[in-house]
Amino acid sequence: MTNEPMGRPPNGEHPERADVPLMPHATEYTGRYVVLLDQRETERGLDALRSSAGIASVERVRGTEVSGAAELLQRPDVSVLFDELGAAVVEVQPDQRHTLVTTAQTEPTIIAAEPERMVYASVITEAQRTLTGFFPTYRSDEDEVDRHTRAELASSLGPAWDEESVTWGLQAIRANFSTLSGRGVKVAVLDTGVATQHTDLTGCLEETASFVPGASVEDGNGHGTHCIGTVAGPAKPEHAPRYGVAGEARILAGKVLNDRGRGTDGQILAGIAWAVAHGARVISMSLGAPVAPGELFPQTYENVFRRALHRRPGTVTITAAGNESRRPGFVAPVGRPANCPSALAVAALGKELATAFFSCGAINGEGGEVNIAAPGVDVFSAAPDGSYQTLSGTSMATPHAAGVLALIAQAHPESSTADLRARLLSGAYPLPLPATDAGAGLLQAP
């Protein structure tokens, strides 16, 4: 099975895979293909591609073998097979791409073949750096009102938040009322890396790995550090309000995007394989690429997510819905890979608990829905160099949900993937917004 269009960069060459500025709404291809194989007969599928399309020699990579994976993905003379996922990133000469597609359509052991795309971390506003934060919270008496009453009060108060001690996002999702901390739950954040020396984050880092050629896991962008801070920043930061949902979660920080916030499908797949191999209960991906109205979800990502869940039961993949809308005039469809049915897509809300102007909506069919909404405007969190910054985007909403999943997984350690998803969605507070924009409603901590 193949999804078109075929990627054809000028002269069949790879584009700059790292440092080309992103044009708005652009779709960029690397010139390679991502091929999903029947895991019972991977060699038969690869042999068919070797004999018909002359794909480059195949190197096998396991999730626990991170050393060298990034460099292999960059080499033009090598195709890379992620053993546990049954997915390969293959190099093929430009004049053999049509043959590869034809072979994929006729060979039963090849389930899907899609052009490898570039993937992005997209931020809506310029970062606002600060050493401390002063922010807008509704206050309610835990002894007198229940969870939904507090959420209703928050909705009615809108922007009247007091963020001196807790960020507005944590208050909106009730993380500051939860007795859970995410203790011991592994959350993989696949992003631009992490500031490993940030004093707020050093204690939560379980493992780190980089899948970007020539780069360490250190975050030269800030996006990944911000997301990790939202998931697992400390309950009592020394120089800032509380901004982390699950302060005792264990973070697997995978750098799959470079310091300009750009990566490839292959790097994302490498990060997923690594996260699964290291026992992640939650895989958080504040990244993606835009899709066109009517475009199907990517078969490769969908099947990889399913296979990851099969190998690690009880794991949930949560993704950013995308930032391409310009409401009220234009609503863009949920991007990829958030549009996969096996992933949860998170929309962004502003402080008034309305859909953020940039947040993508459920325009396309199966898998293109929004599952839940979370704070994603003016979100305060950690930044490289030990400071803090305020960012906006569905990228900022997603780690709120990842943190809440860590709390749920702590409370229900034996829960299946379906159970965790159901608990997350059933706990949402209904908002007066269309489900196409906010899914089940406002994320709520247990």
Side-chain angles (χ1 to χ4, degrees):
M1 179 177 182
T2 59
N3 280 0
E4 296 296 340
M6 293 170 54
R8 296 184 182 274
N11 304 317
E13 298 174 351
H14 290 300
E16 293 289 331
R17 292 180 182 167
D19 300 321
V20 178
L22 170 65
M23 298 299 291
H25 312 302
T27 298
E28 295 179 276
Y29 299 97
T30 67
R32 301 180 295 197
Y33 271 76
V34 179
V35 177
L36 190 76
L37 301 159
D38 184 331
Q39 288 185 291
R40 297 167 299 181
E41 298 185 89
T42 55
E43 276 305 315
R44 175 178 163 182
L46 291 172
D47 284 343
L49 294 176
R50 290 188 189 101
S51 61
S52 64
I55 64 169
S57 62
V58 177
E59 294 283 348
R60 293 175 178 268
V61 174
R62 299 187 64 82
T64 54
E65 301 167 351
V66 298
S67 60
E71 283 65 32
L72 286 174
L73 286 168
Q74 189 74 355
R75 284 175 53 182
D77 61 333
V78 168
S79 298
V80 180
L81 172 66
F82 299 102
D83 256 344
E84 294 97 336
L85 302 179
V89 180
V90 301
E91 292 278 358
V92 61
Q93 292 298 316
D95 60 357
Q96 292 297 310
R97 289 178 184 148
H98 180 72
T99 302
L100 182 146
V101 170
T102 302
T103 302
Q105 291 171 335
T106 57
E107 170 56 51
T109 60
I110 299 175
I111 297 170
E114 298 168 339
E116 185 189 37
R117 294 195 192 187
M118 299 297 296
V119 182
Y120 317 100
S122 181
V123 180
I124 296 302
T125 56
E126 290 296 323
Q128 301 171 21
R129 293 280 181 105
T130 182
L131 291 178
T132 58
F134 301 91
F135 294 82
T137 221
Y138 75 92
R139 301 179 183 274
S140 57
D141 187 341
E142 183 96 24
D143 297 327
E144 295 182 9
V145 292
D146 64 16
R147 168 171 96 172
H148 280 190
T149 303
R150 286 194 301 272
E152 185 175 0
L153 178 58
S155 180
S156 67
L157 287 178
W161 305 94
D162 173 7
E163 296 186 273
E164 185 173 354
S165 59
V166 182
T167 60
W168 82 268
L170 267 60
Q171 295 173 63
I173 68 170
R174 296 184 62 256
N176 54 322
F177 290 110
S178 179
T179 59
L180 298 166
S181 63
R183 176 175 294 180
V185 177
K186 292 183 180 181
V187 180
V189 179
L190 305 182
D191 212 287
T192 60
V194 63
T196 59
Q197 299 305 308
H198 197 297
T199 55
D200 285 358
L201 305 181
T202 52
C204 73
L205 297 177
E206 178 83 5
E207 298 278 352
T208 65
S210 175
F211 303 96
V212 176
S216 74
V217 76
E218 290 297 329
D219 184 7
N221 179 286
H223 191 271
T225 298
H226 192 281
C227 291
I228 289 171
T230 300
V231 175
K236 295 181 179 180
E238 186 175 354
H239 301 294
R242 178 184 169 186
Y243 57 89
V245 176
E248 292 188 296
R250 306 302 300 161
I251 296 296
L252 305 173
K255 187 183 181 82
V256 297
L257 306 177
N258 66 18
D259 288 343
R260 292 199 175 190
R262 295 165 53 86
T264 65
D265 286 336
Q267 289 165 227
I268 311 306
L269 295 178
I272 293 171
W274 171 77
V276 172
H278 284 79
R281 291 296 306 278
V282 183
I283 301 177
S284 180
M285 299 193 297
S286 290
L287 49 78
V291 301
E295 182 175 338
L296 295 175
F297 59 84
Q299 292 291 323
T300 47
Y301 272 113
E302 172 60 15
N303 281 276
V304 161
F305 290 154
R306 291 183 184 182
R307 290 176 178 183
L309 302 184
H310 178 73
R311 291 191 62 84
R312 183 68 61 180
T315 297
V316 178
T317 302
I318 194 147
T319 51
N323 302 332
E324 283 70 43
S325 293
R326 292 298 178 264
R327 298 170 184 268
F330 172 70
V331 179
V334 171
R336 54 178 275 149
N339 62 348
C340 291
S342 294
L344 287 170
V346 185
L349 300 173
K351 292 182 179 181
E352 73 287 1
L353 300 184
T355 306
F357 76 89
F358 51 78
S359 191
C360 289
I363 303 301
N364 290 340
E366 181 186 4
E369 69 270 10
V370 169
N371 297 108
I372 201 164
V377 175
D378 294 339
V379 175
F380 176 90
S381 187
D385 70 28
S387 64
Y388 305 90
Q389 61 181 335
T390 299
L391 298 175
S392 296
T394 55
S395 284
M396 284 61 252
T398 301
H400 282 92
V404 168
L405 279 168
L407 303 182
I408 297 172
Q410 178 194 0
H412 305 279
E414 302 304 318
S415 287
S416 67
T417 297
D419 288 341
L420 291 176
R421 285 175 61 116
R423 290 179 185 278
L424 181 82
L425 298 178
S426 65
Y429 178 74
L431 293 171
L433 298 171
T436 52
D437 292 339
L442 172 61
L443 175 76
Q444 296 285 275

